[in-house]
Amino acid sequence: KMLRRVLCTVLFVGALPSLAEVSQGHISVVLLGATGDLAKKYLWQGLFQLYMDQVSSGHSFTFHGAALTALEPGQRLMFDVLKKLACPPDESPNRCAVLKDQFLKLSQYHQLKTAENYTVLNREIETLLRQEGLKEAGRIFYFSVPPFAYTEIARHINSSCRPPPGAWLRVVLEKPFGHDLESAQQLAAELTSFFREEEMYRVDHYLGKQAVAHILPFRDQNRQFLDPIWNRHHVERVEIVLKETVDAKGRVSFYEQYGVIRDVLQNHLTEALMFLTMELPANVSRAEEVLQCKLQAFQSLRGLEKTSAVLGQYQAYASQVQEELQKAQDYISTTPTFAGVLIHSDNLRWEGVPFLLTSGKALDERVGYVRVLFKNRAYCTQSETLRDAGHSQCKAKQIVFYIGHGALNTPAVLVSRNLFRPVMPEGSWREAVGQPDLHIFGQPLSDYYVYSPVKERDAYSVLISNIYHGRKDFFITTENLLASWGFWTPLLDSISDQPLRLYPGGVENQHLLDFEMVSGEVAFTLAEPVELLNPSRLTPSDYKTIQSKFRQSPLVSAWSEDLISQLASDIEKAASRTVARSGQFHLALSGGSSPVVLFQRLARHHYAFPWKQTHIWLVDERCVPLTDTESNFFSLHKHLLQSVRVPYFNIHPMPVHLNQRLCVEEDRGTELYAKEIMALVPNASFDLVLLGLGTDGHTASLFPHSENGLEGAQTVVLTESPVKPHQRMSLSLPLINKARQVFVLVLGRGKHDITTLLSRVGHEPRKWPASGVSPSSGRLVWYVDYEALLG
């Protein structure tokens, strides 16, 4: 009997103590895509390592390589790879030779193309086990195939190749897991119709990198040192970096679809980010607790804006796209090959700490690291040359998880000597003896405690071992996958046509890709040289103001960025003047998308704004809970209120959610808000009301032909929107027109038609509510950007 002969041979060289121990059952490993690049480079070696590690575990194994290739050529290709498998340097040649021989005997090739092929494979596994008298422990199916093939393979496995009851199934999936949130949801839904969550192991090979895999154990084993300093009061910033010297040549068809953010940041670097920012569970060995804490960390991340990223593309990429994808000479690719992204977490531990995720191709060096840089509050009186330099409190304090390559060329954990001597597991990590001339982040290696793995292991070997042991915390669950795509997709959508900084590649990049953080945004430090294609034409500065009036009221027009800057300054001036005159400023703000950039501008650039004397009111609100992302108050809080110091009692959200109901007339939410306005706002006359303009002519939540709010004595009304969520609460037009000042903000080419129409019609609020905005004794100013004004 084949398996028994193999086990006897292994027993003969001392790998197994006795045959009696082969009692835990049999594991069948099926590698789909067995002759592909990933299988050749990593997976067969990882499976061989698993066999070497677990041959004494009590399980028996067979390894089934599978592909679409016919039997004979496929078998030849596969065994060409198997013959080149290597043992670790510390393995004895005798044992290595025996184990390799047995691994080859336990491996066989199958063509898996049709449903019948899977049925035959299942029958072969069952027959083998019956002949050997072995009980089945489980089956591992490793999908080293493109994701478009997942669904069909999953259907075949589910219908005809599942193990019997009592044995487990583990299905291993390789990225990419979708292209954005929608495609990831679709793929996840298809897979969950065939497999249970606990059966799926989504691989991110970075979780098998020894330095990354050690972040959580390091935090756990050094709790006594890290608990006081692992927070916003002590951490200055965090850098998570993967730089590559190679370009995308030969992989352009893949790269053009995905780009650097989807290829590296959304998965590899985000996983490292989660290990750093998540709260430590009581037991880091419990996969369920770890995964739950990771999900909570995802939910704390602040949404990304267009200004959260800087993007680049190496110059040769365009010609590579044209060559490999047969694109025309004038084809312009907007795929970034370099990205630097600034991320913030809104939980109390990390609030305000910048996390920089950076990756790119054709850079100056190949290196990966996770660097936690601590604030330094020390002042050292003694001259640096007269001090014990290694323990100087004035030197940088940092912890670095060095993923590999670079100056060290090995995985490592580095801790500044002026922080603490870390606790490291003796069996798997050892203190490295230094290379005195080597510098890491500007400091000699002697300034750090440096630890490297006792035994370096390939990431896939680590992950395959974790699949065998059922360690789900080293893999991506459906919930965490969708949380990640939910976080990254809005940024990917917003930058889809953003201009890219071109860079030559390698050392010639110099400072071109350096970027800096300013007021919660990132920007390249060097301005990109710009050559005007037609210098004789007018430039924006040549026509700052097209006209000075719009509907007989003052008009301010500019490019959107300049317009927002002007509007924010005008609101601050109005606030300061009003506070100087009456001691307080009542500001009513509209919802929608247009004011978001204004809110961000006020939060990040207007530090002299008299927020302590300002009352914030809502012009309108959607009838959803205030914690709903559709809520105007939610947007206001996210983009402005959480960043400025407005007293709690000066914030007045609309009461749309009373008695656990939304906008029910009997709850009298409109009356409550009206009474609050009457009680606090002198003469119910706001100092400034900010409005927007809808493409149908609506403003606030006052829509064409609305039954409420366009006239009459009511000050706060319930209205109906033609789009979801339909129910709204809004200030009425008569109340808006009592304001001292009304500013109307209109942005974007999509508003050009309604802007043109409004410039021609008279006072017809029933048709176009915005035409009814006319403060009775106040001032109206229109802020319209060039795109809305000129189209």
Side-chain angles (χ1 to χ4, degrees):
K1 294 183 178 181
M2 183 193 72
L3 281 178
R4 197 156 292 274
R5 281 201 305 276
V6 169
L7 292 171
C8 287
T9 310
V10 175
L11 173 64
F12 180 72
V13 294
L16 284 175
S18 72
L19 276 175
E21 284 200 17
V22 188
S23 58
Q24 293 185 34
H26 182 77
I27 296 173
S28 304
V29 181
V30 183
L31 174 54
L32 297 134
T35 56
D37 282 346
L38 186 64
K40 289 177 191 174
K41 284 183 183 174
Y42 302 110
L43 301 183
W44 279 117
Q45 186 63 51
L47 292 172
F48 181 44
Q49 185 65 54
L50 174 71
Y51 181 64
M52 287 188 285
D53 292 343
Q54 301 303 329
V55 73
S56 307
S57 69
H59 282 124
S60 58
F61 294 88
T62 46
F63 299 90
H64 305 265
L68 298 175
T69 312
L71 188 61
E72 281 188 25
Q75 202 164 326
R76 193 166 54 251
L77 284 168
M78 188 182 97
F79 278 94
D80 283 347
V81 176
L82 298 192
K83 286 167 190 171
K84 294 173 187 170
L85 294 174
C87 294
D90 57 352
E91 192 67 73
S92 75
N94 187 26
R95 186 173 187 269
C96 175
V98 171
L99 289 175
K100 185 173 172 181
D101 182 58
Q102 302 314 320
F103 184 78
L104 265 67
K105 287 179 180 171
L106 293 171
S107 302
Q108 52 187 298
Y109 177 81
H110 305 261
Q111 183 185 34
L112 288 185
K113 202 171 184 179
T114 65
E116 178 59 28
N117 294 151
Y118 285 84
T119 305
V120 169
L121 172 63
N122 184 62
R123 198 157 50 236
E124 283 183 22
I125 292 171
E126 289 175 347
T127 303
L128 179 69
L129 294 175
R130 192 165 55 250
Q131 287 172 352
E132 302 288 350
L134 290 168
K135 180 186 174 187
E136 185 159 18
R139 296 181 191 180
I140 296 171
F141 284 86
Y142 200 119
F143 285 41
S144 180
V145 295
F148 66 76
Y150 283 4
T151 305
E152 186 182 356
I153 294 170
R155 185 180 292 109
H156 292 323
I157 292 170
N158 185 56
S159 63
S160 57
C161 221
R162 273 186 170 275
W168 46 255
L169 172 66
R170 290 174 192 155
V171 174
V172 188
L173 305 161
E174 278 284 346
K175 78 175 186 80
F177 311 117
H179 185 265
D180 53 18
L181 178 59
E182 186 181 355
S183 58
Q185 286 171 326
Q186 184 180 342
L187 182 58
E190 287 168 0
L191 289 170
T192 50
S193 66
F194 302 115
F195 305 127
R196 297 190 301 275
E197 181 63 37
E198 64 269 21
E199 293 175 332
M200 288 186 283
Y201 288 68
R202 289 184 187 85
V203 169
D204 183 328
H205 78 272
Y206 251 62
L207 297 183
K209 298 277 186 185
Q210 285 169 291
V212 176
H214 196 62
I215 294 174
L216 274 191
F218 179 89
R219 288 181 58 193
D220 182 47
Q221 290 152 14
N222 290 279
R223 283 182 196 248
Q224 79 254 40
F225 305 119
L226 290 174
D227 274 355
I229 63 171
W230 201 254
N231 55 58
R232 61 193 164 106
H233 302 297
H234 294 271
V235 175
E236 182 179 312
R237 71 182 192 187
V238 176
E239 300 165 3
I240 305 174
V241 175
L242 173 61
K243 292 164 65 177
E244 296 181 86
T245 53
V246 298
D247 60 18
K249 192 171 184 178
R251 291 185 71 223
V252 167
S253 60
F254 166 83
Y255 214 80
E256 184 63 4
Q257 290 181 66
Y258 288 90
V260 67
I261 294 179
R262 291 180 173 91
D263 189 37
V264 177
L265 277 76
Q266 179 271 328
N267 35 68
H268 305 329
L269 303 195
T270 301
E271 287 303 314
L273 174 69
M274 293 299 100
F275 280 163
L276 291 172
T277 57
M278 64 183 267
E279 291 301 308
L280 269 186
N283 184 351
V284 295
S285 299
R286 285 185 59 83
E288 309 80 35
E289 290 183 36
V290 170
L291 292 168
Q292 194 54 42
C293 289
K294 269 177 73 176
L295 190 60
Q296 288 165 1
F298 264 121
Q299 291 161 349
S300 298
L301 295 179
R302 189 183 302 171
L304 295 172
E305 310 287 342
K306 201 173 191 174
T307 51
S308 304
V310 288
L311 305 170
Q313 185 187 91
Y314 64 83
Q315 287 170 355
Y317 183 75
S319 60
Q320 290 170 355
V321 169
Q322 289 164 7
E323 182 185 331
E324 293 186 33
L325 302 183
Q326 283 84 51
K327 296 288 186 182
Q329 285 295 312
D330 60 350
Y331 176 79
I332 296 172
S333 168
T334 56
T335 301
T337 62
F338 169 85
V341 178
L342 173 62
I343 293 176
H344 283 97
S345 172
D346 283 332
N347 73 13
L348 281 175
R349 182 184 293 280
W350 297 113
E351 191 176 38
V353 176
F355 291 84
L356 289 169
L357 274 60
T358 306
S359 185
K361 290 190 172 294
L363 301 182
D364 60 318
E365 62 174 336
R366 183 184 184 191
V367 68
Y369 59 83
V370 176
R371 182 189 183 206
V372 182
L373 187 64
F374 292 86
K375 294 174 183 175
N376 200 327
R377 296 186 174 89
Y379 169 75
C380 297
T381 308
Q382 187 84 337
S383 165
E384 189 175 327
T385 55
L386 302 175
R387 282 188 271 114
D388 175 6
H391 291 275
S392 166
Q393 288 303 308
C394 285
K395 288 203 168 186
K397 300 178 179 185
Q398 49 197 327
I399 296 172
V400 182
F401 299 94
Y402 204 88
I403 298 166
H405 304 291
L408 283 180
N409 202 31
T410 180
V413 176
L414 298 86
V415 180
S416 294
R417 288 181 180 270
N418 56 8
L419 264 177
F420 58 86
R421 177 186 277 276
V423 176
M424 297 291 281
E426 286 181 19
S428 50
W429 291 80
R430 63 176 166 222
E431 193 163 2
V433 269
Q435 299 153 268
D437 299 332
L438 200 58
H439 281 64
I440 299 290
F441 301 115
Q443 290 180 263
L445 209 56
S446 57
D447 281 3
Y448 302 92
Y449 295 110
V450 183
Y451 296 85
S452 57
V454 170
K455 187 177 180 179
E456 272 196 55
R457 296 197 65 177
D458 169 70
Y460 279 99
S461 295
V462 173
L463 291 173
I464 287 169
S465 173
N466 288 323
I467 295 162
Y468 166 78
H469 288 291
R471 284 292 306 270
K472 285 281 288 183
D473 48 324
F474 280 84
F475 300 89
I476 315 301
T477 63
T478 302
E479 212 171 7
N480 278 286
L481 173 71
L482 298 182
S484 180
W485 276 120
F487 174 69
W488 285 102
T489 297
L491 175 69
L492 290 163
D493 290 343
S494 72
I495 61 171
S496 58
D497 56 356
Q498 187 168 321
L500 306 171
R501 161 97 23 128
L502 291 177
Y503 59 97
V507 292
E508 291 179 46
N509 296 332
Q510 294 295 314
H511 303 296
L512 259 183
L513 298 178
D514 294 352
F515 59 93
E516 59 187 345
M517 300 170 284
V518 182
S519 304
E521 301 176 357
V522 284
F524 286 115
T525 54
L526 285 181
E528 189 167 26
V530 175
E531 187 180 320
L532 287 178
L533 297 176
N534 190 346
S536 63
R537 293 185 64 186
L538 291 174
T539 59
S541 58
D542 292 321
Y543 47 94
K544 270 287 178 189
T545 304
I546 305 298
Q547 57 197 68
S548 58
K549 294 279 184 182
F550 182 81
R551 294 182 57 80
Q552 288 79 55
S553 295
L555 167 70
V556 180
S557 59
W559 295 110
S560 58
E561 193 173 329
D562 295 334
L563 186 73
I564 291 296
S565 176
Q566 183 63 54
L567 175 56
S569 296
D570 291 349
I571 293 173
E572 183 180 334
K573 284 175 193 167
S576 299
R577 281 198 301 266
T578 306
V579 168
R581 186 181 67 246
S582 62
Q584 56 186 6
F585 178 60
H586 288 275
L587 173 64
L589 297 169
S590 281
S593 57
S594 293
V596 166
V597 281
L598 172 68
F599 298 161
Q600 291 168 343
R601 179 85 195 177
L602 288 169
R604 294 169 184 171
H605 297 276
H606 290 265
Y607 297 104
F609 199 106
W611 292 115
K612 284 186 179 178
Q613 293 80 29
T614 299
H615 283 257
I616 302 283
W617 301 83
L618 271 289
V619 168
D620 62 331
E621 181 58 280
R622 294 162 176 175
C623 292
V624 295
L626 299 186
T627 53
D628 192 301
T629 53
E630 291 275 345
S631 161
N632 290 342
F633 181 78
F634 180 92
S635 176
L636 176 65
H637 180 268
K638 176 181 177 182
H639 298 292
L640 177 65
L641 295 181
Q642 68 177 1
S643 304
V644 297
R645 294 187 176 175
V646 180
Y648 175 80
F649 292 107
N650 287 11
I651 300 171
H652 309 281
M654 281 185 156
V656 292
H657 198 186
L658 298 170
N659 303 320
Q660 298 181 323
R661 303 188 295 188
L662 292 166
C663 294
V664 175
E665 283 195 33
E666 300 91 86
D667 293 334
R668 300 185 170 182
T670 54
E671 288 180 36
L672 284 172
Y673 208 55
K675 284 178 182 175
E676 194 175 0
I677 293 167
M678 291 297 293
L680 295 174
V681 181
N683 302 317
S685 177
F686 290 105
D687 295 305
L688 197 153
V689 173
L690 176 72
L691 298 176
L693 174 66
T695 53
D696 60 354
H698 84 264
T699 190
S701 278
L702 303 170
F703 298 93
H705 311 294
S706 177
E707 293 180 13
N708 301 319
L710 297 177
E711 55 191 14
Q714 270 189 295
T715 54
V716 184
V717 295
L718 292 177
T719 65
E720 288 282 327
S721 163
V723 295
K724 290 184 178 180
H726 296 299
Q727 277 194 302
R728 308 286 176 94
M729 187 179 286
S730 180
L731 303 186
S732 70
L733 197 54
L735 181 64
I736 289 168
N737 284 332
K738 286 181 71 176
R740 294 175 182 274
Q741 291 192 90
V742 177
F743 292 171
V744 185
L745 175 62
V746 188
L747 296 177
R749 191 172 283 111
K751 303 287 176 68
H752 174 62
D753 289 348
I754 188 63
T755 303
T756 305
L757 181 67
L758 279 180
S759 70
R760 297 169 181 163
V761 301
H763 181 87
E764 297 185 65
R766 297 289 300 170
K767 285 186 179 177
W768 303 287
S771 72
V773 178
S774 179
S776 50
S777 57
R779 178 168 170 262
L780 171 63
V781 183
W782 292 82
Y783 291 80
V784 186
D785 77 348
Y786 288 147
E787 289 195 328
L789 196 65
L790 305 174

